[in-house]
Amino acid sequence: MSMVDTYFMVALEIVKSAGKLITEHVKGCKDYKLKSCDIDLVTEVDKAVETTILSKLKEEFPHHAFIGEESVAEGARVVLTDEPTWVLDPIDGTLNFVHGFPHSCISLGLLINKVPEMGIIYNPIMNQLFTALKHQGAYLNDQIIHVSKVKELKGALVAFEAGTSRDADKMKVVRENFDQIISKAQGMRALGSAALNMAMVAMGAADANFEFGIHAWDVAAGTIIVREAGGVVIDPAGGPFDILSRRVLCAGTKELAEELSKTLVQYYPERD
Ligand code: IPD
């Protein structure tokens, strides 16, 4: 068993146990606070899940580095070095969680030398556990998963989000891309969680997904899960994916990724 396999097994138990914090609080409306704007929310549960997971990981792996969404919201810097770095979104889909729309998850990725080595996306409400380790395939609840084979946009179900920013330039691009997708693709979906959108591509339930404005913690796990399921993850303009760029496009096939990339109006947010 490799070192990364051991990291994975430890992390998996920590994530599963932290999932109980989400299921215990899923019913009813939740109190929340605003972060960057009036649609960027955080609850006490986001903070509790992050504290629980990061403190346990730090205890197990004191020499590793950590990037957590809520720690960054409270002033920590995003620093990605070659050291083993855990990247955590304690609740991806916080707005869903607040409303009780059952698509929220814990997203945890591990990068070593800036390369994704393992990913866990866990939606405890729907009992969906997506996992991947490099070169070992991707799984949903222990069953191997594969991306779809759709090659053309006209036959594709594309997942994308309006995101959590009210920036006028960004909203203009969202509207333009919405128009593009509803006129050229077979269908569109927005699950309200960047990580779960990627998981849908990994299991072949959606054929592609893109978003401008995501953060490293939204996509650290999804990147390796999609790749291990046989899909591609690139920059939306067609170049290599950069986890700090706040831009992502993934698809089941290279052909679909390229067509979608050419179709999209591009947007370049400030980097993480
Ligand atoms: C957000 C969700 C949302 C996506 C945003 C993310 P959060 O994460 O994934 O669907 O559009 O870009 O920031 O705030 O719920 O952790």
Side-chain angles (χ1 to χ4, degrees):
M1 189 184 289
S2 76
M3 197 76 103
V4 177
D5 290 338
T6 313
Y7 299 160
F8 171 74
M9 284 168 59
V10 171
L12 191 57
E13 289 316 307
I14 293 174
V15 167
K16 279 184 181 169
S17 146
K20 291 188 197 117
L21 288 168
I22 297 179
T23 46
E24 276 162 14
H25 293 92
V26 76
K27 293 243 164 64
C29 277
K30 289 95 188 162
D31 288 336
Y32 59 85
K33 292 203 169 71
L34 304 181
K35 296 195 287 183
S36 61
C37 70
D38 65 339
I39 49 170
D40 187 11
L41 316 182
V42 62
T43 69
E44 287 308 315
V45 184
D46 293 65
K47 291 183 190 173
V49 172
E50 176 150 329
T51 307
T52 304
I53 293 179
L54 290 190
S55 62
K56 288 185 182 163
L57 285 174
K58 282 176 186 169
E59 215 173 281
E60 296 281 348
F61 311 116
H63 303 299
H64 290 184
F66 302 89
I67 297 172
E69 176 179 18
E70 306 314 335
S71 313
V72 172
E74 284 171 11
R77 287 184 51 232
V78 177
V79 182
L80 183 61
T81 65
D82 287 345
E83 297 306 314
T85 304
W86 297 90
V87 186
L88 172 70
D89 190 338
I91 303 185
D92 185 53
T94 301
L95 201 141
N96 285 347
F97 178 67
V98 166
H99 288 267
F101 189 75
H103 298 286
S104 305
C105 62
I106 298 171
S107 171
L108 178 67
L110 173 68
L111 284 79
I112 303 179
N113 296 318
K114 303 191 182 76
V115 176
E117 291 286 336
M118 54 134 274
I120 300 171
I121 294 176
Y122 181 40
N123 176 352
I125 310 156
M126 301 293 276
N127 191 28
Q128 292 174 318
L129 175 65
F130 296 89
T131 55
L133 277 152
K134 200 160 79 181
H135 306 313
Q136 294 187 40
Y139 293 82
L140 165 57
N141 297 342
D142 294 329
Q143 299 284 318
I144 194 145
I145 51 173
H146 300 285
V147 292
S148 73
K149 294 187 168 64
V150 174
K151 290 191 171 67
E152 291 182 332
L153 198 50
K154 67 177 187 208
L157 184 59
V158 181
F160 66 97
E161 299 287 329
T164 50
S165 155
R166 297 278 198 198
D167 179 276
D169 292 340
K170 160 87 190 298
M171 287 175 75
K172 181 169 175 284
V173 172
V174 167
R175 288 189 192 100
E176 287 169 346
N177 282 327
F178 182 81
D179 269 359
Q180 289 292 330
I181 301 302
I182 59 167
S183 51
K184 294 186 177 151
Q186 195 170 56
M188 58 80 51
R189 297 290 181 268
L191 218 48
S193 156
L196 287 171
N197 284 333
M198 293 185 84
M200 292 303 111
V201 174
M203 69 181 283
D207 305 299
N209 161 242
F210 70 90
E211 190 169 339
F212 301 110
I214 45 84
H215 292 274
W217 46 82
D218 296 313
V219 295
T223 303
I224 184 155
I225 294 174
V226 169
R227 285 183 178 151
E228 287 297 321
V232 294
V233 183
I234 59 171
D235 179 81
F241 170 68
D242 170 355
I243 194 167
L244 299 181
S245 69
R246 305 192 53 207
R247 299 160 45 84
V248 71
L249 186 161
C250 66
T253 63
K254 189 168 160 286
E255 293 85 347
L256 178 58
E258 282 167 2
E259 187 185 349
L260 180 56
S261 158
K262 284 185 198 128
T263 305
L264 292 177
V265 178
Q266 299 291 323
Y267 181 74
Y268 293 84
E270 199 177 314
R271 292 171 62 80
D272 266 335

